Amino acid sequence: MTTLKINKKDYTVDADENMPLLWAIRDLAGLTGTKFGCGVAQCGACVIHLDGEAVRSCVTKVKRAEGKSITTIEGLSANNDHPVQKAWQEIDVPQCGYCHSGQIMSAVVLLRENPNPTDVDIDNAMSGNICRCGTYPRIRHAIKIAAELQREKGK
């Protein structure tokens, strides 16, 4: 048995230490907002935060997460009111929506590290997140809106 701290709550799961964290989160803890995309850390659908770092949960082992703080899309905000979530909603970014929990989690880290990113900064930071529907222009626009919302919130 392993205890994982996910979204500030302890989950005791019966998981092998080498199990991908994605499956412990989805199948054992029952938090299905984090998506399985490729299984080889190439698409970004499974991005979560591990002690604040954006990681691909499909290739991160449970043993790496023990004793650390895990944040999934469900734990990003209590009311879907994180600036990135608000920006996503404001301009209706998702088309099919499958990749967007990973997109949002990556964008949150980008804006924490670079609160005023250029188009190039956004493209570089988000290049590991694939959107099959091609909503990249809306993703970039939403990140800029979120950056502005964060600046306003900080005032």
Side-chain angles (χ1 to χ4, degrees), residues 42-47 56 99-107 125-131 136 139:
Q42 295 298 303
C43 74
C46 69
V47 172
R56 309 302 168 109
C99 70
H100 286 280
S101 60
Q103 298 276 2
I104 288 169
M105 297 303 281
S106 293
M126 301 300 291
S127 67
N129 291 77
I130 297 171
C131 175
Y136 300 113
I139 290 167

Side-chain angles (χ1 to χ4, degrees), residues 87-105:
W88 245 247
Q89 294 164 21
E90 182 178 321
I91 64 167
D92 198 23
V93 172
Q95 190 166 327
C96 83
Y98 194 82
C99 70
H100 286 280
S101 60
Q103 298 276 2
I104 288 169
M105 297 303 281

Side-chain angles (χ1 to χ4, degrees), residues 1 8 11 17 30 35 42 63-64 73 77 85-86 88 90 98 107 111 118 123 125 132-133 141 155:
M1 297 301 266
K8 300 179 182 173
Y11 290 82
E17 67 178 9
K35 303 301 183 196
Q42 295 298 303
K63 66 182 170 188
R64 179 174 173 209
I73 191 72
S77 67
Q85 291 171 313
K86 288 170 79 171
W88 245 247
E90 182 178 321
Y98 194 82
L111 291 176
T118 65
D123 292 348
R132 289 183 178 186
C133 301
H141 185 203
K155 289 181 183 177

Side-chain angles (χ1 to χ4, degrees), residues 10-148:
D10 287 338
Y11 290 82
T12 301
V13 296
D14 187 7
D16 181 276
E17 67 178 9
N18 292 312
M19 172 187 271
L21 186 55
L22 172 66
W23 301 121
I25 291 168
R26 287 183 57 82
D27 294 349
L28 303 179
L31 300 168
T32 57
T34 304
K35 303 301 183 196
F36 172 76
C38 66
V40 292
Q42 295 298 303
C43 74
C46 69
V47 172
I48 55 139
H49 299 169
L50 188 60
D51 278 348
E53 175 190 357
V55 299
R56 309 302 168 109
S57 62
C58 71
V59 296
T60 302
K61 298 193 183 316
V62 166
K63 66 182 170 188
R64 179 174 173 209
E66 289 181 270
K68 296 185 179 177
S69 176
I70 300 165
T71 305
T72 68
I73 191 72
E74 293 94 340
L76 192 57
S77 67
N79 300 307
N80 291 325
D81 60 357
H82 186 283
V84 175
Q85 291 171 313
K86 288 170 79 171
W88 245 247
Q89 294 164 21
E90 182 178 321
I91 64 167
D92 198 23
V93 172
Q95 190 166 327
C96 83
Y98 194 82
C99 70
H100 286 280
S101 60
Q103 298 276 2
I104 288 169
M105 297 303 281
S106 293
V108 167
V109 172
L110 162 64
L111 291 176
R112 186 179 66 233
E113 294 175 356
N114 182 351
N116 193 25
T118 65
D119 285 349
V120 172
D121 295 333
I122 294 168
D123 292 348
N124 288 338
M126 301 300 291
S127 67
N129 291 77
I130 297 171
C131 175
R132 289 183 178 186
C133 301
T135 63
Y136 300 113
R138 291 196 312 243
I139 290 167
R140 185 186 303 132
H141 185 203
I143 291 171
K144 289 180 177 184
I145 291 170
E148 180 61 31

